[in-house]
Amino acid sequence: MKTIVMKFGGTSVATGESIRRIAKIVADSIEKEYRVVVVVSALAGITNQLAEEANQAKKKGEKQIQEFTRKLIAEHVATSRKAIENKNTQKQVEQVIKKTVNALEKVLIGICYVGEITPKSKDYVMSFGERLSAPIVWGALQDLKLRTQCFTGKEAGIVTDENFGEAAPLMNVTAHQVKGRLKPLLERNVVPVVTGYIAATQDGVVTTLGRGGSDYTATILSVALAADEVWIWTDVDGIMTTDPKIVPSAKMLPQLSYGEAVEMAIFGAKAMHPSALEPVIEARIPVRIRNVFNPKNHGTLIEDGEEAKSKEVVKAVAMIKDVAMINIRGAAMVGAPGSYSKVFDVLGKNKINIMMVSTAVSEANISLIIRRNLLGRTLSTLEIALLGRGLVNEISSEDDVCVIAAMGANMKGTFGVASRIFTAMAQKKINIRMIAQGSSELNISFVIKEKDGIAAVQAIHKEFKLDQI
Ligand code: ADP
Ligand code: ASP
Ligand code: MG
């Protein structure tokens, strides 16, 4: 019997109707004698609302917070009434929703009184989207007479480090616990419904795996359970040559190697969480990206070493928006051994991830790309560590930039790819601020002003005729 871990993204659980659709997908798979673990995201838009509320809570009053929680209950109750037919199940789920939101309200009011939000309390707030969506999905599965049980990531046994906001799983203990808790259920044909995105430290404090982290939850569970495949259900047919919202004629890529998919996940912005493939690569578990609105389509299959099969040089192009560029200048960095390592060391110690680096041969300048939400913290960290110590004279930043990445395994050793890309940019009069090509040669990425992003993606898609792939 095959075990499949199925993750349903926010858009797949956006409405009561879509929740019934996914329940049907699960029921059909059970009928085909698959063992299924379900991982759910928060309803579309809820995690963003929670983030906003967490950031604003310290400036708000109790009344405003209650207004928010009232709306949150109303939205989830309305969705659950559409998703679930059985009145008893409906009632049970409504009670869970109300109890869960009450707990959230207490935390938000706490934040408002203390006037401060820590990464720890923010993660706790952010965890509520999934804690509210999972019971509704559980109810919809009950409706279809499936045997099912609901778990938070913590209850399922996922343990992480304490890097709140971007926690990483501790795989050995996680695998041991998940196997112990979920495997016996699967053997009895029970469908575990697990909240995506959220987990806990060894001490039981709630953590999140980073935005879009439900993909990661699914792959972590798949390794722990030695599943046969992971299916990431979303609102498009699979991984496409670019975001179909930017280029509507974008084509689905039927197959990708892990290497290509990792490159796309890191640079493909939304399509998949950047760390999600880490656990499955070693375990060689194939991952499929599929469309809930088009389940007949088999989607994109990501598995071991298929790179050589296709002939396209560039297979996909992506724009990553929420980034910022930092420039560090200092004449004294020229020829000074260890000057780069100081920069990387201080950022590493502060858990600030560098997405892209480029340096000039003159060595008087380092440019870095980081997530935009980390800009303030990164600047102050660098200023405290580097300014006035004789090495660096100036640290500046730009937050209106984006990264454009062109990807494809066959770029390796092919001449003229960069020249075609940059000629296309020149023709559109787009100015390039920074360039990097990983030594993997699986991608070329560069930084431009965010306002030029869409035009740049469209131009590259056209230059490499990706709509004819
Ligand atoms: P989910 O809620 O299912 O996790 P996301 O919004 O995180 O969905 O990701 C799916 C969206 O990613 C699609 O609707 C699409 O607009 C966007 N996207 C960006 N780049 C790509 C790509 N190369 N292939 C497919 N989807 C992409
Ligand atoms: N709900 C979380 C987010 O919006 C996790 C996810 O959707 O994967 O980031
Ligand atoms: Mg996602």
Side-chain angles (χ1 to χ4, degrees):
M1 260 180 129
K2 276 193 172 175
T3 301
I4 315 280
V5 178
M6 296 191 185
K7 173 258 175 176
F8 295 95
T11 40
S12 318
V13 292
T15 62
E17 193 197 2
S18 26
I19 292 176
R20 289 166 74 123
R21 180 179 305 117
I22 69 163
K24 175 84 175 37
I25 289 176
V26 175
D28 287 348
S29 302
I30 297 288
E31 203 150 282
K32 286 186 192 138
E33 303 211 321
Y34 289 147
R35 288 176 172 163
V36 180
V37 178
V38 172
V39 174
V40 267
S41 291
L43 308 192
I46 296 294
T47 311
N48 284 345
Q49 283 182 34
L50 290 167
E52 175 76 16
E53 196 64 19
N55 294 334
Q56 298 297 319
K58 57 183 183 215
K59 296 181 224 148
K60 283 193 169 174
E62 242 174 86
K63 277 233 167 67
Q64 285 166 299
I65 288 171
Q66 280 159 350
E67 203 174 300
F68 170 73
T69 50
R70 208 173 308 129
K71 272 199 207 135
L72 203 61
I73 291 180
E75 186 175 339
H76 284 87
V77 166
T79 304
S80 74
R81 284 188 188 159
K82 291 207 183 90
I84 304 164
E85 260 172 15
N86 183 294
K87 290 281 177 263
N88 282 334
T89 316
Q90 219 181 67
K91 230 184 240 155
Q92 224 176 317
V93 170
E94 277 185 38
Q95 271 164 2
V96 173
I97 291 172
K98 284 177 189 153
K99 210 171 129 201
T100 307
V101 176
N102 278 341
L104 168 67
E105 189 177 293
K106 287 203 183 95
V107 194
L108 288 171
I109 290 174
I111 293 169
C112 131
Y113 279 124
V114 181
E116 184 189 50
I117 176 142
T118 60
K120 204 188 220 175
S121 52
K122 180 152 182 191
D123 261 13
Y124 187 56
V125 172
M126 299 286 274
S127 75
F128 278 85
E130 274 71 10
R131 292 170 61 181
L132 289 165
S133 63
I136 308 180
V137 172
W138 169 87
L141 294 177
Q142 287 261 322
D143 247 7
L144 300 184
K145 309 276 180 285
L146 296 179
R147 282 151 38 96
T148 169
Q149 192 175 331
C150 206
F151 294 85
T152 61
K154 174 175 158 177
E155 289 161 351
I158 304 176
V159 180
T160 69
D161 60 17
E162 295 187 349
N163 188 19
F164 295 100
E166 203 89 40
L170 306 177
M171 272 320 279
N172 291 340
V173 53
T174 296
H176 176 75
Q177 296 197 143
V178 169
K179 202 170 151 194
R181 294 176 195 180
L182 301 191
K183 198 120 199 202
L185 294 180
L186 289 172
E187 280 160 5
R188 286 189 279 121
N189 282 324
V190 177
V191 179
V193 175
V194 184
T195 59
Y197 179 55
I198 62 179
T201 65
Q202 206 128 24
D203 300 332
V205 180
V206 173
T207 53
T208 66
L209 303 169
R211 293 306 304 272
S214 302
D215 303 332
Y216 204 2
T217 303
T219 56
I220 292 167
L221 294 181
S222 75
V223 171
L225 296 166
D228 294 278
E229 280 192 25
V230 178
W231 294 354
I232 310 269
W233 291 94
T234 184
D235 62 345
V236 288
D237 270 340
I239 295 193
M240 325 268 289
T241 50
T242 193
D243 188 342
K245 286 175 191 131
I246 300 179
V247 180
S249 61
K251 285 278 168 345
M252 187 194 90
L253 297 163
Q255 249 174 6
L256 288 172
S257 69
Y258 286 125
E260 287 175 319
V262 165
E263 212 78 13
M264 291 204 51
I266 294 173
F267 288 99
K270 285 196 82 183
M272 197 195 297
H273 185 287
S275 308
L277 290 167
E278 266 167 34
V280 288
I281 292 175
E282 210 180 314
R284 298 180 172 223
I285 298 173
V287 176
R288 247 177 224 287
I289 318 290
R290 305 187 61 175
N291 189 350
V292 281
F293 302 103
N294 187 13
K296 285 205 186 83
N297 191 314
H298 289 286
T300 300
L301 176 63
I302 303 168
E303 59 179 359
D304 235 1
E306 285 296 328
E307 284 161 15
K309 271 196 187 165
S310 71
K311 49 188 188 310
E312 287 82 17
V313 193
V314 170
K315 271 192 178 175
V317 51
M319 162 164 68
I320 303 101
K321 280 202 285 204
D322 49 359
V323 297
M325 177 162 73
I326 295 180
N327 295 305
I328 303 168
R329 284 191 201 86
M333 288 200 294
V334 181
S339 53
Y340 292 167
S341 80
K342 282 210 179 79
V343 173
F344 298 140
D345 189 48
V346 61
L347 294 181
K349 281 195 180 124
N350 284 280
K351 303 259 185 214
I352 294 166
N353 184 34
I354 303 170
M355 298 171 68
M356 230 172 116
V357 186
S358 107
T359 57
V361 183
S362 73
E363 292 185 46
N365 181 335
I366 311 179
S367 301
L368 307 172
I369 293 290
I370 52 153
R371 286 274 168 219
R372 197 175 291 164
N373 61 357
L374 299 177
L375 180 59
R377 187 155 73 86
T378 309
L379 283 176
S380 58
T381 303
L382 287 173
E383 281 164 7
I384 291 165
L386 301 175
L387 283 183
R389 293 171 197 252
L391 197 62
V392 167
N393 339 75
E394 195 193 327
I395 300 173
S396 61
S397 65
E398 291 174 39
D399 66 358
D400 57 348
V401 293
C402 66
V403 177
I404 303 293
M407 292 153 286
N410 290 349
M411 271 189 204
K412 210 172 187 145
T414 307
F415 299 106
V417 182
S419 120
R420 281 171 73 185
I421 291 174
F422 295 124
T423 305
M425 293 305 100
Q427 278 163 357
K428 293 272 168 202
K429 297 198 166 42
I430 295 173
N431 186 29
I432 291 159
R433 309 281 298 110
M434 172 178 166
I435 302 175
Q437 176 175 23
S439 57
S440 68
E441 282 190 61
L442 290 176
N443 103 44
I444 294 178
S445 36
F446 55 95
V447 177
I448 58 177
K449 286 289 180 196
E450 190 171 319
K451 66 173 172 50
D452 295 327
I454 289 181
V457 169
Q458 288 168 341
I460 295 171
H461 204 267
K462 196 163 168 206
E463 170 62 32
F464 290 92
K465 300 194 170 60
L466 295 184
D467 52 358
Q468 292 165 33
I469 219 165

